[in-house]
Amino acid sequence: MEYKFREIEKKWQTHWKESNAYKVSNNSDKPKYYVLDMFPYPSGAGLHVGHPLGYIASDIFARFKRLKGFNVLHPMGYDAFGLPAEQYAIEHGIHPAISTENNINNFRAQLDKIGFSFDWDREVKTCDPKYYKWTQWIFLQLFNSYFNRFTQKAESISQLISTFETEGNINFPCPGDASIEFEKDLWKSFTDEYQQEVLMHYRLAYCGYGEVNWCEALGTVLANDEVVNGVSERGGHPVVKKKLRQWYLRITEYADRLLQGLQTVDFSDAMKEMQTNWIGKSTGAEIIFNIGNRESSIASPLATSASRLTIYTTRPDTIFGVDFMVVSPEHELVKLITTTEQKAEVEKYIDYVNSRSERERMAEKKITGCFTGAYAINPFNAKPIPVWISEYVLAGYGTGAIMAVPCGDERDFKFAKHFNIPITNIIGDHFNGEEANDTKEAKLSNSDFLNGVVMKDAIELVVNQIETLGIGKKKINYRMRDAAFSRQRYWGEPFPIIWKDGVAIPIPESELPLQLPEVKSYSPGLEGEGPLSNIHDWIYQYEDADFIPPSGGKGVLETNTMPGYAGSSWYFLRYMDPHNAETFCNRKVSDYWNQVDLYIGGTEHAVGHLLYSRMWTKALYDLGFIGYDEPFKKLLNQGMIQGVSQIAYVQKIEFKENEKGEEASRGESNTIFVNGQVASVPEAKLQLYSSEVINEYNKDHFKPYNIPIELVSLNSANPKRNELNIKEALKKYSNRLNAIYITTTGFNYNGNWFIKKENDWVEDIYNEANQVFYVESEVEKMSKSKYNVENPDEIIAKYGADTFRMYEMFLGPVEQSKPWDTKGIEGVHRFLKKLWRLFYDEVKGPIWTESAPSLSERAGGEATAEELKTLHKTIKKIEDDTERFSFNTAVSAFMVCVNELADLKCNKREVLEPVLIMLVPYAPHIAEELWKALGNSNSILDAAFPVFDAKYVAESSKEYPVSINGKLRTTISLDINISQQEVEPIVLANETVQKWLEGKAPKKIIFVKGKMINVVI
RNA sequence: GCCCAUGUGGCGGAAUUGGUAGACGCGCCAGACUCAAAAUCUGGUAUUCGCAAGGAUGUGAAGGUUCGAUUCCUUUCGUGGGCACCA
């Protein structure tokens, strides 16, 4: 009888499905346990080997908890709205709902093959109207709430309105615009429209204006990762910033609670740190500087708010060390203060900055900036300070302006050096003139009334002085910004909002879900509006509804849709009560399941999804809909399984203006460079450079181009010299890879090689075999767009799901990222076959015996005590390793166990059966098969995890390592209970120790019981 | 640039709390079985000196703390992830 995994796995997968083995009840006497995987996005590429890593880990843990007697909720569903489906629709004319459904079916089929214990009755899909009805409903709750800073929680906006009617907003400063202040009478005098505008500044879900990446040529808004070097990734068209009306979530109001909540959850320190940094709470001061001019220390007589510059600093103590100011180039003051002489230069600089993404700006090493010609007046000593603009100051953070203190801040220091701005030293010896020193411990000098004060004490003095003088105030600042919550897209949740005369009117709950309309085209509307704006029947459908005031203009539906994270911010609640049509999740049910006990997913969600879902949970808690305000009790971050990409190069497209002011591009010319020489080629074709060529040029002019891995023969000795099969590329990927392939010696055009002969490029049919196009391997994220995806199906077909599951775990710690590699999968498969052979002999058939192992050496022989020792050692190890998510070492422990049992020729049912139970979480199919073969009638899924008994593993002696000065020299076998006093003479008598002592007495003998002995000479 | 993680044999990795570095698996070498192959089994396998016994070196690099450091500290280099519209 051999191990026929294909038959076995199919049999049990069918059986478990038919017997509803994974159905989970919301009523149980058992303790509950909730294991959740991060929502997958069902991409068209299907499941790759990276996805299941986390799912297998969570499945192992869920099954383990079930064996331990818990009622385990372990659901799966799909985060099904998203950009790729919409892009696919634009390109292929297939409705996103259809392609998404296909992708989901494909995902499901792949997941089913791996043997997961998901309760599929609880599947949720964010694009299902039955689901997004509740996403819209929660949005309305956020829309109808504000954050009460006294109670530190979300409360109803109607309460706020009554507060305004009785006391104005004196005690409730406006979070959206601090300048809005009114008393009750003034409030009552406001028009309805203005009252609504004011309320919008309070709502947790609100509408405002924000910048997007606008691509005129594509007529659409682009995601950050669709913009590369200031041009669109597709087509290479210019991209500019454009201000659009946008929805936001007022997550900043929750900043403090999001920080505090981190102390109550079991996330890794790294994760907590990332979230803390993202929130970026800092304490400092806002200081107002008047704009003056160089000669006069007196502010311009025309001083108005437009000639005052407010900066934010965390180091007000350095106020006398300010040598220049830096304002973000998009700051509204820039236009007003720039002098005529500097105007041209400033505008040129702003154009440069506009062409750059935020990330590029932050990552830029090169120091760039431009003087505005204006001076700010230091309010403490009336010193005029030059005002510069630079890309390193971002508009969205603080006030978008900083005071630069070169002696205390490295970036300011480099800026000052680069532009030859004189540096004032206020920290005496602590500043060496070579680099900035950000100490807070120095005594201040050159600092007027602060001279001699230690910096950290000066902070408070300055803040007090600023407040007394009325030129600023103490300010707590957050790096975190409100979350942009709208997308100019089709494939997302529509907002249940109608606009009429500039007022946002929520659609009544009874009208939900507000369904997406059918559309014929997914192209965007005018001026960056979403595709929905083209569907007139749809956007005007509520024009005459009775909840719309009859007078005024037309009521029109919001045409933006919600972003991907809307549906995933609360899905863990829907799994608990997925079919409820009355509410998003019954309160009794959410009280029963409570928090997610174990949440598994990648660190790439560290700040986005995890912060948003934490905020939604807090809001739902504040409003009384659920009973806890942190969604995830424990978070386990799975590493990424990376793909190995194959990289060729193309020239970067760089836009330059020619003399006529038109945009000209390089990188798509009709000349190519081969070995320092120029060849003429048709312009339209993609020009791919061999990786070998690139090493001879400046790499900055090229960017990587991913080649499908199946076209490449790998060179294991040198990963920079993998060979591309050009013929296959032209055949299989004719659209994408119909390119001119350029190597160091020639180029390939339409499948033919050309090399230089005499003075011309000639077709070379004789020398073809010598022409090789090299691509290099690079480890990066596995993704369809990088053509490096490895699919689990083939592996499962070859080795089976149990092998696949164990192999993915055996690769290494789940938290660690590693490139996918199938080396070693044979070993895991061999292990399962070896396990099988403890039960079945190929010729003899079943070989397990009913004879019981015994501790008594006389009766059963020594082997049986050994068998029990192996078993219980394994029980302890598997239990410990599984509890601490060390699945790779657990797999090793199974291997060790089976190796030992095979050596002992142990076929005893009493030993083997517990091993099978322990194996269920890891390899459920083979475990069930052998369990049933042993004659059990119930399913092994519901067996009880074996109980460890220390008496079977007790040792009477230990082989102690003996080190001399920390280096291992020998070992001595000693009684387990021996004391230091007893040890010393034995050690000193040891031959090896005597040899090293050379007759001298040791300085010290260190004895750590149960661990080691170290003799210090 | 900033934040986080990570670096150990030919390869994936182990060493859980500062205590025998390299468990387990792959690969490789040798052997058994076989007409042969597959499968399976046995032994070996960090580097280096040595016939051996036994030494020396060794956890990205350089320092430090310690009787003892892969583990703690400082500096530094490489790689991966995130940086707000991919999900």
Side-chain angles (χ1 to χ4, degrees):
Chain A
M1 286 272 293
E2 58 178 321
Y3 169 41
K4 293 179 183 155
F5 55 86
R6 287 187 195 90
E7 273 173 37
I8 293 168
E9 290 178 358
K10 202 174 164 200
K11 176 166 93 187
W12 293 112
Q13 281 169 13
T14 312
H15 181 263
W16 289 327
K17 193 175 175 183
E18 284 169 356
S19 60
N20 284 321
Y22 301 129
K23 187 147 178 63
V24 181
S25 166
N26 285 348
N27 298 299
S28 170
D29 300 334
K30 296 176 185 170
K32 72 94 192 184
Y33 200 89
Y34 188 178
V35 182
L36 182 63
D37 293 285
M38 282 186 191
F39 237 2
Y41 174 78
S43 89
L47 205 63
H48 62 63
V49 293
H51 288 110
L53 185 74
Y55 306 157
I56 294 167
S58 67
D59 197 58
I60 287 170
F61 208 77
R63 288 174 181 275
F64 173 72
K65 281 288 173 184
R66 181 168 173 171
L67 295 173
K68 284 282 197 178
F70 287 81
N71 185 32
V72 181
L73 178 57
H74 184 216
M76 181 50 79
Y78 306 97
D79 187 11
F81 277 130
L83 206 50
E86 185 157 338
Q87 196 51 42
Y88 189 80
I90 291 168
E91 283 162 17
H92 299 91
I94 294 170
H95 194 280
I98 293 167
S99 60
T100 302
E101 191 60 33
N102 288 342
N103 292 349
I104 286 176
N105 291 337
N106 185 23
F107 251 66
R108 174 65 190 276
Q110 289 183 291
L111 287 171
D112 281 348
K113 284 185 205 155
I114 305 174
F116 291 123
S117 62
F118 299 127
D119 178 358
W120 284 108
D121 286 348
R122 292 172 184 261
E123 178 189 77
V124 303
K125 304 170 197 171
T126 53
C127 65
D128 181 346
K130 289 204 273 303
Y131 181 89
Y132 70 67
K133 169 179 179 172
W134 299 108
T135 309
Q136 292 171 332
W137 180 85
I138 296 171
F139 170 82
L140 289 180
Q141 307 310 309
L142 296 171
F143 179 79
N144 286 319
S145 307
Y146 78 108
F147 192 81
N148 183 329
R149 291 181 182 175
F150 287 108
T151 56
Q152 280 288 304
K153 60 190 259 247
E155 286 173 14
S156 160
I157 205 100
S158 56
Q159 278 176 32
L160 185 68
I161 295 171
S162 36
T163 307
F164 288 169
E165 285 166 353
T166 54
E167 54 175 277
N169 81 338
I170 309 307
N171 291 315
F172 292 85
C174 181
D177 183 349
S179 69
I180 296 177
E181 288 177 359
F182 51 85
E183 293 185 28
K184 62 176 179 181
D185 294 334
L186 187 56
W187 168 258
K188 286 175 192 157
S189 73
F190 291 158
T191 60
D192 279 359
E193 283 80 9
Y194 189 68
Q195 283 187 347
Q196 287 302 325
E197 199 181 317
V198 170
L199 290 173
M200 198 56 112
H201 285 296
Y202 282 86
R203 296 180 189 276
L204 284 179
Y206 69 95
C207 214
Y209 285 85
E211 282 189 339
V212 295
N213 300 311
W214 170 251
C215 180
E216 184 69 47
L218 297 173
T220 187
V221 174
L222 297 176
N224 279 337
D225 68 337
E226 294 179 296
V227 184
V228 183
N229 298 315
V231 298
S232 65
E233 194 182 29
R234 279 175 283 121
H237 308 289
V239 176
V240 295
K241 303 269 161 44
K242 187 185 176 87
K243 243 183 185 178
L244 281 185
R245 190 175 54 72
Q246 300 268 49
W247 286 91
Y248 290 91
L249 298 183
R250 209 177 291 285
I251 193 170
T252 47
E253 289 290 292
Y254 276 96
D256 269 324
R257 276 179 63 194
L258 288 169
L259 280 175
Q260 285 157 17
L262 286 177
Q263 285 161 19
T264 70
V265 293
D266 185 4
F267 295 4
S268 70
D269 289 342
M271 176 62 57
K272 289 182 180 181
E273 213 169 319
M274 277 192 262
Q275 293 211 353
T276 304
N277 290 336
W278 179 269
I279 294 167
K281 184 176 183 173
S282 66
T283 310
E286 272 183 12
I287 308 176
I288 300 165
F289 287 70
N290 284 323
I291 299 294
N293 57 54
R294 187 174 194 168
E295 292 74 30
S296 151
S297 61
I298 305 156
S300 146
L302 299 169
T304 62
S305 66
S307 59
R308 284 157 45 158
L309 176 64
T310 306
I311 58 95
Y312 175 77
T313 178
T314 56
R315 295 295 301 273
D317 53 310
T318 61
I319 185 77
F320 291 100
V322 180
D323 290 316
F324 58 102
M325 312 293 266
V326 188
V327 179
S328 73
E330 48 274 87
H331 198 288
E332 50 189 18
L333 211 55
V334 173
K335 271 190 201 137
L336 299 169
I337 62 172
T338 302
T339 57
T340 350
E341 303 87 76
Q342 292 300 108
K343 195 165 178 235
E345 205 179 318
V346 165
E347 278 173 1
K348 201 173 132 203
Y349 186 71
I350 290 175
D351 278 350
Y352 156 77
V353 172
N354 277 340
S355 74
R356 292 164 63 77
S357 71
E358 198 167 296
R359 199 173 308 166
E360 284 170 328
R361 285 174 59 176
M362 288 186 291
E364 184 58 68
K365 269 190 208 165
K366 224 165 56 204
I367 297 156
T368 69
C370 180
F371 180 44
T372 60
Y375 287 81
I377 307 304
N378 188 327
F380 284 89
N381 61 3
K383 185 178 151 191
I385 306 160
V387 179
W388 288 68
I389 56 173
S390 176
E391 59 180 330
Y392 79 84
V393 174
L394 301 176
Y397 184 57
T399 61
I402 62 158
M403 59 181 215
V405 182
C407 73
D409 182 282
E410 193 56 34
R411 204 154 41 166
D412 296 346
F413 178 81
K414 286 189 175 140
F415 194 91
K417 280 280 173 200
H418 187 261
F419 289 109
N420 286 316
I421 302 168
I423 295 169
T424 309
N425 179 14
I426 52 165
I427 50 175
D429 297 344
H430 293 269
F431 177 61
N432 60 9
E434 299 293 315
E435 57 185 356
N437 185 344
D438 63 358
T439 179
K440 284 184 181 172
E441 307 299 328
K443 280 187 181 169
L444 286 158
S445 56
N446 284 331
S447 290
D448 202 298
F449 70 96
L450 297 172
N451 282 335
V453 182
V454 175
M455 299 178 96
K456 60 182 177 193
D457 304 325
I459 295 177
E460 209 187 323
L461 291 175
V462 175
V463 172
N464 290 341
Q465 190 68 11
I466 287 166
E467 290 187 343
T468 312
L469 295 172
I471 51 162
K473 56 176 190 248
K474 185 175 175 176
K475 182 85 196 272
I476 289 170
N477 211 24
Y478 298 94
R479 202 177 71 90
M480 180 167 68
R481 312 198 283 256
D482 279 340
F485 197 65
S486 46
R487 303 289 183 261
Q488 290 69 43
R489 302 285 178 189
Y490 169 76
W491 192 231
E493 299 88 346
F495 284 89
I497 292 288
I498 289 163
W499 289 97
K500 182 158 180 167
D501 302 326
V503 174
I505 304 164
I507 288 174
E509 284 175 23
S510 58
E511 293 293 319
L512 300 181
L514 170 62
Q515 296 212 34
L516 272 174
E518 285 291 323
V519 293
K520 291 203 174 60
S521 147
Y522 305 93
S523 47
L526 294 171
E527 290 303 307
E529 275 205 80
L532 291 178
S533 63
N534 297 324
I535 321 295
H536 288 244
D537 290 352
W538 187 78
I539 58 178
Y540 290 116
Q541 63 179 304
Y542 289 109
E543 213 182 328
D544 303 319
D546 44 12
F547 58 89
I548 304 286
S551 60
K554 276 187 171 182
V556 54
L557 272 171
E558 169 64 59
T559 58
N560 282 332
T561 52
M562 298 187 198
Y565 65 83
S568 61
S569 288
W570 72 281
Y571 73 112
F572 64 96
L573 290 163
R574 190 63 181 171
Y575 281 136
M576 300 173 182
D577 198 7
H579 307 296
N580 198 326
E582 307 300 315
T583 171
F584 71 102
C585 177
N586 181 288
R587 176 66 193 263
K588 273 191 189 136
V589 175
S590 67
D591 282 349
Y592 171 71
W593 287 112
N594 206 271
Q595 287 165 290
V596 175
D597 293 283
L598 175 64
Y599 194 32
I600 299 189
T603 45
E604 66 270 25
H605 299 283
V607 283
H609 161 65
L610 281 166
L611 277 175
Y612 301 135
S613 53
R614 289 181 61 217
M615 179 214 162
W616 284 47
T617 304
K618 287 179 191 307
L620 289 171
Y621 169 79
D622 292 348
L623 299 172
F625 295 115
I626 54 173
Y628 44 93
D629 84 335
E630 281 291 343
F632 314 117
K633 204 188 231 169
K634 171 157 183 73
L635 177 69
L636 179 69
N637 290 115
Q638 106 222 24
M640 200 172 274
I641 292 204
Q642 292 143 324
V644 180
S645 296
Q646 301 305 320
I647 309 285
Y649 289 87
V650 292
Q651 286 194 58
K652 267 187 198 166
I653 301 165
E654 287 161 9
F655 282 88
K656 287 184 196 156
E657 285 197 355
N658 61 20
E659 311 80 58
K660 293 177 199 158
E662 292 163 338
E663 269 155 349
S665 65
R666 58 170 254 148
E668 271 184 306
S669 66
N670 56 354
T671 50
I672 56 172
F673 297 91
V674 187
N675 200 13
Q677 294 157 341
V678 175
S680 297
V681 293
E683 191 165 355
K685 271 207 177 178
L686 176 69
Q687 298 165 12
L688 281 180
Y689 285 81
S690 158
S691 58
E692 204 182 22
V693 178
I694 300 314
N695 298 326
E696 300 171 10
Y697 293 99
N698 183 347
K699 253 193 161 163
D700 292 346
H701 295 307
F702 295 89
K703 62 176 186 184
Y705 192 91
N706 289 61
I707 303 287
I709 193 161
E710 64 268 20
L711 298 174
V712 175
S713 27
L714 298 177
N715 179 340
S716 54
N718 185 352
K720 286 184 183 264
R721 293 202 144 211
N722 303 321
E723 291 179 23
L724 171 70
N725 186 332
I726 292 175
K727 279 190 180 154
E728 279 292 300
L730 289 169
K731 203 162 76 190
K732 276 176 80 176
Y733 290 83
S734 56
N735 287 335
R736 210 175 76 85
L737 291 175
N738 185 9
I740 298 164
Y741 295 89
I742 301 146
T743 71
T744 48
T745 52
F747 64 92
N748 185 304
Y749 179 66
N750 284 352
N752 303 314
W753 284 101
F754 290 81
I755 59 162
K756 188 110 177 170
K757 275 200 178 142
E758 287 160 18
N759 290 320
D760 209 1
W761 292 96
V762 294
E763 188 172 341
D764 176 39
I765 46 170
Y766 308 105
N767 207 14
E768 190 168 337
N770 296 336
Q771 303 295 336
V772 185
F773 188 91
Y774 291 112
V775 292
E776 30 184 59
S777 292
E778 195 173 292
V779 170
E780 56 184 355
K781 204 166 160 173
M782 202 175 270
S783 137
K784 191 188 177 189
S785 65
K786 299 187 188 300
Y787 296 89
N788 61 0
V789 170
E790 300 270 2
N791 181 300
D793 297 359
E794 291 162 34
I795 292 150
I796 292 170
K798 192 164 174 199
Y799 297 102
D802 284 339
T803 300
F804 178 70
R805 290 169 65 104
M806 291 194 94
Y807 182 61
E808 284 235 349
M809 293 300 102
F810 191 59
L811 274 175
V814 263
E815 302 96 317
Q816 257 168 48
S817 294
K818 51 236 151 193
W820 177 249
D821 189 354
T822 50
K823 262 189 265 172
I825 196 164
E826 289 281 353
V828 174
H829 193 62
R830 254 173 239 163
F831 152 75
L832 288 176
K833 284 198 281 190
K834 194 165 181 179
L835 170 82
W836 184 264
R837 285 200 307 274
L838 291 175
F839 293 81
Y840 287 104
D841 184 276
E842 239 176 271
V843 186
K844 287 185 263 179
I847 50 167
W848 65 84
T849 62
E850 299 290 334
S851 62
S854 159
L855 258 189
S856 153
E857 298 192 1
R858 280 174 208 282
E862 204 170 357
T864 55
E866 287 294 318
E867 287 161 8
L868 286 168
K869 187 173 168 184
T870 293
L871 173 65
H872 282 268
K873 201 177 68 185
T874 308
I875 294 172
K876 176 114 180 72
K877 179 84 175 141
I878 297 297
E879 187 165 350
D880 287 357
D881 284 358
T882 307
E883 290 279 10
R884 69 187 175 100
F885 313 108
S886 179
F887 305 117
N888 56 326
T889 52
V891 175
S892 297
F894 278 121
M895 289 174 171
V896 171
C897 173
V898 165
N899 287 347
E900 286 181 8
L901 293 180
D903 288 346
L904 294 166
K905 301 204 168 22
C906 172
N907 311 99
K908 301 192 179 79
R909 178 196 182 122
E910 207 173 315
V911 175
L912 296 181
E913 215 168 59
V915 174
L916 289 181
I917 298 170
M918 287 191 279
L919 193 66
V920 167
Y922 293 83
H925 308 89
I926 192 174
E928 181 82 287
E929 174 71 19
L930 292 170
W931 171 262
K932 288 278 165 53
L934 290 179
N936 293 292
S937 55
N938 64 332
S939 169
I940 196 170
L941 304 182
D942 291 311
F945 198 86
V947 178
F948 170 69
D949 189 335
K951 80 176 178 219
Y952 298 112
V953 297
E955 302 261 5
S956 60
S957 68
K958 156 142 186 102
E959 191 80 2
Y960 274 91
V962 180
S963 302
I964 313 286
N965 286 340
K967 282 196 195 276
L968 180 74
R969 296 300 174 188
T970 187
T971 58
I972 305 177
S973 187
L974 295 167
D975 188 279
I976 198 80
N977 288 317
I978 199 160
S979 71
Q980 168 123 20
Q981 274 179 332
E982 295 166 295
V983 165
E984 291 192 7
I986 300 172
V987 170
L988 292 174
N990 180 278
E991 217 178 291
T992 315
V993 175
Q994 293 216 330
K995 191 185 103 190
W996 284 92
L997 277 173
E998 292 171 328
K1000 286 175 272 180
K1003 277 191 192 145
K1004 204 199 247 180
I1005 296 177
I1006 291 155
F1007 171 71
V1008 183
K1009 198 177 168 190
K1011 294 280 186 190
M1012 45 64 70
I1013 298 159
N1014 188 16
V1015 182
V1016 186
I1017 300 173

